[in-house]
Coordinates of all heavy atoms in Angstrom, one line a residue:
Q89 N 109.7 106.6 92.2 CA 108.8 106.0 93.2 C 107.3 105.9 92.5 O 106.9 106.7 91.8 CB 108.5 107.0 94.3 CG 109.7 107.0 95.1 CD 109.5 107.8 96.5 OE1 108.8 108.7 96.6 NE2 110.3 107.3 97.5
V90 N 106.7 104.7 92.9 CA 105.4 104.4 92.4 C 104.5 104.2 93.6 O 104.9 103.7 94.6 CB 105.4 103.1 91.4 CG1 106.2 103.4 90.1 CG2 105.9 102.0 92.2
S91 N 103.2 104.4 93.4 CA 102.2 104.0 94.5 C 101.8 102.5 94.2 O 101.2 102.2 93.1 CB 101.1 105.0 94.4 OG 101.5 106.3 94.7
V92 N 101.9 101.7 95.3 CA 101.5 100.3 95.0 C 100.2 100.2 96.0 O 100.1 100.6 97.0 CB 102.5 99.4 95.6 CG1 102.0 97.9 95.3 CG2 103.7 99.6 94.9
L93 N 98.9 99.7 95.2 CA 97.7 99.6 95.9 C 97.4 98.0 96.0 O 97.6 97.3 95.1 CB 96.6 100.3 95.0 CG 96.9 101.7 94.5 CD1 95.8 102.1 93.6 CD2 97.1 102.6 95.8
Y94 N 97.0 97.7 97.3 CA 96.8 96.3 97.4 C 95.3 96.1 97.7 O 94.7 97.0 98.4 CB 97.6 95.9 98.7 CG 99.1 96.0 98.6 CD1 99.6 97.2 99.0 CD2 99.8 95.1 98.0 CE1 101.0 97.4 99.0 CE2 101.2 95.2 97.9 CZ 101.8 96.3 98.4 OH 103.1 96.5 98.3
F95 N 94.8 95.2 97.0 CA 93.3 94.8 97.3 C 93.0 93.4 97.8 O 93.8 92.5 97.5 CB 92.6 95.0 95.9 CG 92.7 96.4 95.4 CD1 93.8 96.9 94.5 CD2 91.7 97.3 95.8 CE1 93.7 98.1 94.1 CE2 91.8 98.6 95.3 CZ 92.7 99.0 94.5
A96 N 91.9 93.3 98.5 CA 91.5 91.9 99.0 C 92.6 91.1 99.8 O 93.2 91.7 100.6 CB 90.9 91.2 97.8
R97 N 92.9 90.0 99.2 CA 93.9 89.0 99.9 C 95.3 89.6 99.8 O 96.0 89.5 100.8 CB 93.9 87.6 99.1 CG 94.8 86.7 99.6 CD 94.3 85.8 100.8 NE 95.1 84.7 101.0 CZ 95.7 84.5 102.2 NH1 95.4 85.4 103.2 NH2 96.4 83.6 102.5
S98 N 95.6 90.4 98.8 CA 97.0 91.0 98.8 C 97.1 92.0 99.8 O 98.2 92.1 100.5 CB 97.3 91.7 97.4 OG 96.5 92.9 97.1
A99 N 96.0 92.8 100.2 CA 96.1 93.7 101.3 C 96.2 93.0 102.7 O 97.0 93.5 103.5 CB 94.8 94.6 101.4
E100 N 95.7 91.9 102.8 CA 95.8 91.0 103.9 C 97.2 90.6 104.2 O 97.8 90.6 105.2 CB 94.8 89.9 103.9 CG 93.4 90.1 104.0 CD 92.5 88.9 103.8 OE1 93.0 87.9 104.0 OE2 91.4 89.1 103.3
L101 N 97.8 90.0 103.1 CA 99.1 89.4 103.1 C 100.2 90.6 103.4 O 101.2 90.4 104.0 CB 99.4 88.7 101.7 CG 98.6 87.4 101.6 CD1 98.8 86.8 100.3 CD2 99.0 86.4 102.8
A102 N 100.0 91.7 102.7 CA 101.0 92.8 102.8 C 100.8 93.5 104.1 O 101.7 94.3 104.6 CB 100.8 93.9 101.7
G103 N 99.6 93.5 104.7 CA 99.2 94.2 106.0 C 99.0 95.7 105.8 O 99.0 96.5 106.8
L104 N 98.7 96.1 104.6 CA 98.4 97.5 104.3 C 97.6 97.6 102.9 O 97.6 96.7 102.2 CB 99.6 98.5 104.3 CG 100.9 97.9 103.6 CD1 100.8 98.4 102.2 CD2 102.0 98.6 104.2
R105 N 97.1 98.7 102.6 CA 96.3 98.9 101.5 C 97.0 99.8 100.4 O 96.9 99.6 99.2 CB 94.9 99.7 101.8 CG 94.0 98.8 102.6 CD 92.6 98.9 102.0 NE 91.8 98.0 102.8 CZ 91.4 96.9 102.5 NH1 91.8 96.4 101.4 NH2 90.6 96.2 103.3
C106 N 98.1 100.5 100.8 CA 98.8 101.3 99.8 C 100.1 101.8 100.4 O 100.3 101.8 101.7 CB 98.1 102.5 99.3 SG 97.6 103.7 100.4
E107 N 101.1 102.0 99.6 CA 102.4 102.4 99.9 C 103.2 102.9 98.8 O 102.8 102.7 97.6 CB 103.3 101.2 100.6 CG 103.7 100.3 99.7 CD 104.4 99.1 100.4 OE1 105.1 99.5 101.4 OE2 104.4 98.0 100.0
T108 N 104.2 103.7 99.1 CA 105.0 104.1 97.9 C 106.4 103.4 97.9 O 107.0 103.3 99.1 CB 105.3 105.7 98.1 OG1 104.1 106.3 98.2 CG2 106.3 106.2 97.1
L109 N 106.8 102.9 96.8 CA 108.0 102.1 96.7 C 108.9 102.8 95.6 O 108.4 103.3 94.6 CB 107.8 100.6 96.3 CG 107.1 99.9 97.2 CD1 106.8 98.4 96.7 CD2 107.7 99.9 98.6
S110 N 110.2 102.6 95.8 CA 111.2 103.1 94.9 C 111.7 102.0 94.0 O 112.1 100.9 94.7 CB 112.4 103.7 95.7 OG 112.0 104.9 96.2
V111 N 111.4 102.1 92.7 CA 111.8 101.0 91.9 C 112.5 101.6 90.7 O 112.3 102.7 90.5 CB 110.6 100.1 91.5 CG1 109.9 99.4 92.6 CG2 109.5 101.0 90.8
P112 N 113.2 100.7 89.9 CA 113.8 101.4 88.6 C 112.8 101.9 87.7 O 111.7 101.4 87.7 CB 114.6 100.2 88.1 CG 114.7 99.2 89.3 CD 113.6 99.4 90.2
R113 N 113.2 102.9 87.0 CA 112.3 103.5 86.0 C 111.9 102.5 84.8 O 110.8 102.4 84.5 CB 112.9 104.7 85.4 CG 112.0 105.5 84.5 CD 112.7 106.8 84.0 NE 111.8 107.6 83.2 CZ 111.8 107.3 81.8 NH1 112.6 106.4 81.3 NH2 110.9 108.0 81.1
E114 N 112.9 101.8 84.4 CA 112.6 100.7 83.5 C 112.8 99.4 84.1 O 113.8 99.0 84.7 CB 113.6 100.9 82.2 CG 113.3 102.1 81.4 CD 114.1 102.1 80.1 OE1 114.6 101.1 79.7 OE2 114.0 103.2 79.5
I115 N 111.7 98.6 84.0 CA 111.7 97.3 84.7 C 110.6 96.4 84.0 O 109.7 97.0 83.5 CB 111.3 97.5 86.3 CG1 111.5 96.3 87.1 CG2 110.1 98.1 86.4 CD1 111.5 96.5 88.6
T116 N 110.8 95.0 84.0 CA 109.9 94.2 83.5 C 108.7 93.9 84.6 O 109.0 94.3 85.7 CB 110.5 92.8 83.1 OG1 110.8 92.1 84.3 CG2 111.6 93.1 82.1
S117 N 107.6 93.6 84.1 CA 106.5 93.4 85.1 C 106.9 92.3 86.0 O 106.5 92.4 87.3 CB 105.4 93.1 84.2 OG 105.3 92.0 83.5
L118 N 107.6 91.3 85.7 CA 108.1 90.3 86.7 C 109.0 90.7 87.6 O 108.9 90.5 88.8 CB 108.6 89.0 85.8 CG 108.9 87.8 86.7 CD1 107.8 87.5 87.5 CD2 109.5 86.6 85.9
Q119 N 110.0 91.6 87.1 CA 110.9 92.1 88.1 C 110.2 93.1 89.1 O 110.6 93.1 90.2 CB 112.0 92.9 87.4 CG 113.0 92.1 86.6 CD 113.8 92.8 85.5 OE1 113.4 93.8 85.1 NE2 115.0 92.4 85.4
L120 N 109.3 93.8 88.7 CA 108.5 94.7 89.5 C 107.7 93.9 90.5 O 107.8 94.2 91.7 CB 107.5 95.5 88.7 CG 106.7 96.5 89.5 CD1 107.4 97.4 90.4 CD2 105.8 97.2 88.5
W121 N 107.1 92.8 90.1 CA 106.6 91.9 91.1 C 107.5 91.4 92.2 O 107.2 91.5 93.3 CB 105.8 90.8 90.4 CG 105.2 89.7 91.4 CD1 105.7 88.4 91.5 CD2 104.1 89.8 92.1 NE1 105.1 87.7 92.4 CE2 104.1 88.6 92.9 CE3 103.2 90.8 92.4 CZ2 103.0 88.3 93.8 CZ3 102.3 90.7 93.5 CH2 102.2 89.2 94.1
E122 N 108.7 91.0 91.7 CA 109.7 90.4 92.6 C 110.2 91.5 93.6 O 110.5 91.2 94.6 CB 110.9 90.0 91.8 CG 110.5 88.7 91.1 CD 111.6 88.1 89.9 OE1 112.4 88.9 89.7 OE2 111.3 87.0 89.5
E123 N 110.2 92.8 93.1 CA 110.6 93.8 93.9 C 109.5 94.1 95.0 O 109.9 94.3 96.2 CB 110.8 95.2 93.3 CG 111.9 95.3 92.3 CD 113.3 95.2 93.0 OE1 113.3 96.0 94.1 OE2 114.2 94.6 92.7
I124 N 108.4 94.0 94.8 CA 107.2 94.0 95.7 C 107.2 92.9 96.7 O 107.0 93.1 97.9 CB 105.8 94.2 95.0 CG1 105.8 95.6 94.2 CG2 104.7 94.1 96.1 CD1 104.7 95.6 93.2
V125 N 107.5 91.8 96.1 CA 107.6 90.6 97.0 C 108.8 90.7 98.0 O 108.7 90.1 99.2 CB 107.6 89.3 96.2 CG1 107.9 88.0 97.1 CG2 106.3 89.1 95.5
K126 N 109.8 91.2 97.6 CA 111.0 91.4 98.6 C 110.5 92.2 99.8 O 111.0 91.9 100.9 CB 112.1 92.3 97.8 CG 113.1 91.4 97.0 CD 114.1 92.3 96.5 CE 114.7 91.5 95.1 NZ 115.7 92.6 94.6
V127 N 109.7 93.2 99.5 CA 109.1 94.0 100.6 C 108.1 93.3 101.5 O 108.0 93.4 102.7 CB 108.6 95.4 100.1 CG1 108.0 96.2 101.2 CG2 109.7 96.2 99.4
H128 N 107.3 92.4 100.8 CA 106.2 91.7 101.3 C 106.2 90.2 101.0 O 105.5 89.8 100.0 CB 104.8 92.4 101.1 CG 104.7 93.7 101.5 ND1 104.5 94.2 102.7 CD2 104.7 94.9 100.6 CE1 104.5 95.5 102.7 NE2 104.7 95.9 101.5
P129 N 107.2 89.5 101.5 CA 107.4 88.0 101.0 C 106.2 87.1 101.1 O 106.0 86.3 100.2 CB 108.3 87.5 102.1 CG 109.2 88.7 102.6 CD 108.0 89.8 102.7
R130 N 105.1 87.5 101.9 CA 103.9 86.7 102.0 C 103.1 86.7 100.7 O 102.3 86.0 100.4 CB 103.1 87.0 103.1 CG 103.8 86.7 104.5 CD 103.0 87.1 105.7 NE 101.5 86.5 105.7 CZ 100.6 87.0 106.3 NH1 100.7 88.0 107.2 NH2 99.5 86.3 106.2
L131 N 103.3 87.9 99.9 CA 102.6 88.0 98.7 C 103.0 86.8 97.7 O 102.2 86.5 96.7 CB 103.0 89.2 97.9 CG 102.2 90.5 98.7 CD1 102.7 91.7 98.1 CD2 100.7 90.4 98.6
A132 N 104.2 86.2 97.8 CA 104.5 85.1 97.0 C 103.4 84.0 97.0 O 103.3 83.3 96.0 CB 105.9 84.6 97.4
L133 N 102.6 83.8 98.1 CA 101.6 82.8 98.2 C 100.5 83.0 97.0 O 99.9 82.1 96.6 CB 100.8 82.9 99.5 CG 101.6 82.6 100.7 CD1 100.8 83.0 102.0 CD2 102.1 81.2 100.7
I134 N 100.3 84.3 96.4 CA 99.3 84.5 95.4 C 99.9 84.7 94.1 O 99.1 85.2 93.2 CB 98.3 85.6 96.0 CG1 99.1 86.9 96.1 CG2 97.5 85.2 97.0 CD1 98.2 88.1 96.3
R135 N 101.1 84.5 93.9 CA 101.8 84.9 92.6 C 101.1 84.4 91.4 O 101.0 85.0 90.4 CB 103.3 84.4 92.7 CG 104.1 84.9 91.5 CD 104.6 83.9 90.6 NE 105.4 84.3 89.6 CZ 105.0 84.5 88.4 NH1 103.8 84.4 88.0 NH2 105.9 84.8 87.4
D136 N 100.7 83.1 91.5 CA 100.1 82.5 90.4 C 98.5 82.9 90.1 O 98.0 82.5 89.1 CB 100.1 81.0 90.4 CG 101.6 80.5 90.3 OD1 102.3 81.3 89.6 OD2 101.9 79.5 90.8
Q137 N 98.0 83.6 91.0 CA 96.5 84.0 90.8 C 96.4 85.5 90.7 O 95.4 86.1 90.5 CB 95.9 83.5 92.2 CG 95.9 82.1 92.3 CD 96.3 81.8 93.8 OE1 96.2 82.6 94.6 NE2 96.7 80.5 94.0
V138 N 97.4 86.2 90.9 CA 97.3 87.7 91.0 C 97.1 88.3 89.6 O 97.7 87.9 88.6 CB 98.5 88.3 91.8 CG1 99.8 88.4 91.0 CG2 98.2 89.7 92.3
V139 N 96.4 89.4 89.5 CA 96.2 90.2 88.4 C 97.0 91.5 88.9 O 96.8 92.2 89.8 CB 94.6 90.6 88.0 CG1 94.7 91.6 87.0 CG2 94.0 89.3 87.8
F140 N 97.7 92.1 87.8 CA 98.6 93.2 88.1 C 98.1 94.3 87.1 O 97.8 94.0 86.1 CB 100.0 92.7 87.6 CG 101.2 93.3 88.2 CD1 101.3 93.5 89.6 CD2 102.2 93.7 87.4 CE1 102.4 94.0 90.1 CE2 103.5 94.2 87.9 CZ 103.4 94.3 89.3
A141 N 98.1 95.5 87.7 CA 97.6 96.6 86.9 C 98.6 97.8 87.1 O 99.0 98.1 88.2 CB 96.3 97.1 87.1
V142 N 99.1 98.4 85.9 CA 99.9 99.5 85.9 C 99.2 100.7 85.2 O 98.8 100.5 84.0 CB 101.4 99.2 85.3 CG1 102.3 100.4 85.3 CG2 102.0 98.0 86.1
R143 N 99.0 101.7 85.9 CA 98.3 102.9 85.3 C 97.0 102.5 84.8 O 96.5 102.8 83.8 CB 99.1 103.6 84.2 CG 100.3 104.2 84.7 CD 101.0 105.1 83.6 NE 101.6 104.3 82.5 CZ 102.7 103.7 82.4 NH1 103.6 103.9 83.4 NH2 103.1 103.1 81.3
Q144 N 96.3 101.6 85.6 CA 94.9 101.1 85.4 C 94.8 100.3 84.0 O 93.8 100.0 83.5 CB 94.0 102.1 85.3 CG 93.9 102.9 86.5 CD 92.8 104.1 86.6 OE1 92.2 104.4 85.6 NE2 92.7 104.8 87.7
E145 N 96.0 99.6 83.6 CA 96.1 98.8 82.5 C 96.6 97.4 83.1 O 97.6 97.3 83.7 CB 97.0 99.2 81.4 CG 96.7 100.6 80.9 CD 95.9 100.5 79.5 OE1 96.1 99.5 78.9 OE2 95.1 101.6 79.2
Y146 N 95.8 96.3 82.7 CA 96.2 94.9 83.2 C 97.6 94.7 82.5 O 97.7 94.9 81.3 CB 95.1 93.9 82.8 CG 93.9 94.1 83.7 CD1 92.7 94.2 83.1 CD2 94.0 94.1 85.1 CE1 91.6 94.4 83.9 CE2 92.9 94.1 85.8 CZ 91.8 94.4 85.2 OH 90.6 94.5 86.2
V147 N 98.4 94.0 83.2 CA 99.7 93.6 82.8 C 99.9 92.1 83.2 O 99.6 91.7 84.3 CB 100.8 94.5 83.4 CG1 102.1 94.0 83.0 CG2 100.6 95.9 83.0
L148 N 100.4 91.3 82.3 CA 100.7 89.9 82.7 C 102.2 90.0 83.3 O 103.1 90.7 82.8 CB 100.8 89.0 81.4 CG 99.5 88.9 80.8 CD1 99.7 88.0 79.4 CD2 98.5 88.2 81.6
L149 N 102.4 89.1 84.3 CA 103.7 89.0 84.9 C 104.6 88.3 83.8 O 104.4 87.2 83.5 CB 103.6 88.3 86.1 CG 102.9 88.8 87.3 CD1 103.1 88.1 88.5 CD2 103.3 90.2 87.5
G150 N 105.6 88.9 83.4 CA 106.5 88.4 82.4 C 107.6 89.3 82.0 O 108.1 90.2 82.7
D151 N 108.0 89.2 80.9 CA 109.2 90.0 80.2 C 108.7 91.4 79.7 O 109.6 92.1 79.1 CB 109.8 89.2 79.1 CG 110.5 88.0 79.6 OD1 110.9 87.8 80.7 OD2 110.6 87.0 78.9
Q152 N 107.5 91.7 79.8 CA 107.0 93.0 79.3 C 107.7 94.1 80.0 O 107.7 94.3 81.2 CB 105.5 93.1 79.5 CG 105.0 94.5 78.9 CD 103.5 94.6 79.1 OE1 102.8 93.6 79.4 NE2 103.0 95.8 78.9
L153 N 108.4 95.0 79.2 CA 109.2 96.1 79.8 C 108.2 97.3 80.2 O 107.3 97.7 79.3 CB 110.2 96.7 78.8 CG 111.2 97.7 79.5 CD1 111.9 97.3 80.7 CD2 112.0 98.4 78.3
L154 N 108.2 97.7 81.4 CA 107.4 98.9 81.7 C 108.3 100.1 81.9 O 109.5 100.0 82.4 CB 106.7 98.6 83.1 CG 106.0 97.2 83.3 CD1 105.7 97.1 84.7 CD2 104.8 97.4 82.4
V155 N 107.9 101.2 81.5 CA 108.6 102.4 81.7 C 107.7 103.3 82.7 O 106.7 103.8 82.4 CB 108.9 103.1 80.4 CG1 109.6 104.6 80.8 CG2 109.6 102.3 79.5
L156 N 108.2 103.3 84.0 CA 107.5 103.9 85.1 C 107.7 105.3 85.2 O 108.8 105.7 85.0 CB 107.8 103.1 86.4 CG 107.3 101.7 86.3 CD1 107.8 101.0 87.6 CD2 105.7 101.5 86.1
R157 N 106.7 106.2 85.6 CA 106.9 107.5 85.8 C 106.6 107.7 87.2 O 105.9 107.0 87.9 CB 105.9 108.4 85.0 CG 106.2 108.2 83.5 CD 105.4 109.1 82.7 NE 103.8 108.7 82.8 CZ 103.1 108.1 82.0 NH1 103.6 107.5 80.9 NH2 101.8 107.9 82.2
P158 N 107.2 108.7 87.9 CA 107.0 109.1 89.3 C 105.6 109.3 89.5 O 104.8 109.9 88.8 CB 107.7 110.4 89.5 CG 108.8 110.3 88.6 CD 108.3 109.6 87.4
G159 N 105.0 108.5 90.6 CA 103.6 108.6 90.9 C 102.7 107.7 90.2 O 101.5 107.7 90.5
D160 N 103.2 106.8 89.3 CA 102.4 105.9 88.7 C 101.8 104.9 89.8 O 102.4 104.6 90.8 CB 103.2 105.0 87.7 CG 103.4 105.6 86.3 OD1 102.8 106.7 86.1 OD2 104.1 105.1 85.5
E161 N 100.6 104.4 89.4 CA 99.8 103.4 90.3 C 100.1 102.1 89.8 O 99.9 101.8 88.6 CB 98.4 103.8 90.4 CG 98.2 105.0 91.2 CD 96.6 105.2 91.5 OE1 95.7 104.4 90.8 OE2 96.2 106.0 92.2
V162 N 100.4 101.2 90.7 CA 100.6 99.8 90.5 C 99.5 99.1 91.3 O 99.6 99.3 92.6 CB 101.9 99.2 90.7 CG1 102.2 97.7 90.6 CG2 103.0 100.0 89.9
A163 N 98.6 98.3 90.9 CA 97.7 97.7 91.7 C 97.9 96.2 91.7 O 98.1 95.5 90.6 CB 96.2 98.0 91.1
I164 N 97.7 95.6 92.8 CA 97.8 94.2 93.0 C 96.5 93.6 93.3 O 95.9 94.0 94.5 CB 98.8 93.9 94.2 CG1 100.2 94.7 94.0 CG2 99.0 92.3 94.2 CD1 101.0 94.4 92.8
I165 N 95.9 92.9 92.4 CA 94.5 92.5 92.4 C 94.4 90.9 92.4 O 94.5 90.4 91.4 CB 93.7 93.1 91.4 CG1 93.9 94.6 91.2 CG2 92.1 92.8 91.5 CD1 93.4 95.2 90.1
P166 N 94.2 90.4 93.6 CA 94.0 88.9 93.7 C 92.6 88.5 93.0 O 91.7 89.4 92.9 CB 94.1 88.5 95.1 CG 93.8 89.8 95.8 CD 94.1 91.0 94.9
P167 N 92.4 87.2 92.7 CA 91.2 86.9 92.1 C 90.1 87.1 93.1 O 90.2 87.0 94.4 CB 91.3 85.3 91.8 CG 92.5 85.0 92.7 CD 93.4 86.1 92.8
I168 N 89.0 87.5 92.7 CA 87.8 87.9 93.5 C 86.7 86.9 93.2 O 86.3 86.7 92.1 CB 87.3 89.4 93.3 CG1 88.5 90.3 93.7 CG2 86.1 89.6 94.0 CD1 88.2 91.7 93.2
S169 N 86.2 86.2 94.2 CA 85.0 85.2 94.0 C 83.8 86.0 94.4 O 83.9 86.9 95.1 CB 85.3 84.0 94.9 OG 85.4 84.4 96.2
G170 N 82.7 85.3 93.9 CA 81.3 86.0 94.2 C 80.5 85.6 93.1 O 80.8 85.0 92.1
G171 N 79.3 86.1 93.3 CA 78.4 85.7 92.1 C 77.1 86.8 92.2 O 77.1 87.6 92.7

């Protein structure tokens, strides 16, 4: 199980700020994103703009294999505008 944290637009689309999800221990970053989108299909709207962080390290969505540990944090961070 991992803790998924939603920020800004991703929190609006998911309807919450955090939750715990059960996912495979070994999973690619893209597969992890797809697992999250299964739970919150509206997140698909920001797929091309989202920044993903696992254990506070930025991760590109793709074939990168992640080895998750129970309690790991996964953050979904959409682009933030401002100046």
Side-chain angles (χ1 to χ4, degrees):
Q89 289 193 328
V90 295
S91 297
V92 183
L93 310 175
Y94 301 95
F95 295 93
R97 180 92 170 114
S98 68
E100 292 172 23
L101 293 171
L104 45 85
R105 296 222 174 263
C106 64
E107 68 183 330
T108 301
L109 294 179
S110 293
V111 295
R113 184 173 180 272
E114 292 189 13
I115 190 169
T116 68
S117 55
L118 183 56
Q119 289 169 330
L120 179 57
W121 172 252
E122 290 168 350
E123 289 292 317
I124 294 168
V125 170
K126 281 182 196 174
V127 178
H128 302 289
R130 293 177 59 201
L131 289 174
L133 296 170
I134 60 170
R135 191 242 184 260
D136 292 333
Q137 301 129 13
V138 75
V139 175
F140 208 46
V142 177
R143 293 186 297 271
Q144 300 180 358
E145 302 260 337
Y146 290 120
V147 176
L148 295 175
L149 296 186
D151 295 336
Q152 179 180 349
L153 184 65
L154 305 173
V155 179
L156 300 172
R157 298 183 298 261
D160 276 354
E161 283 186 350
V162 176
I164 311 301
I165 309 165
I168 298 170
S169 62

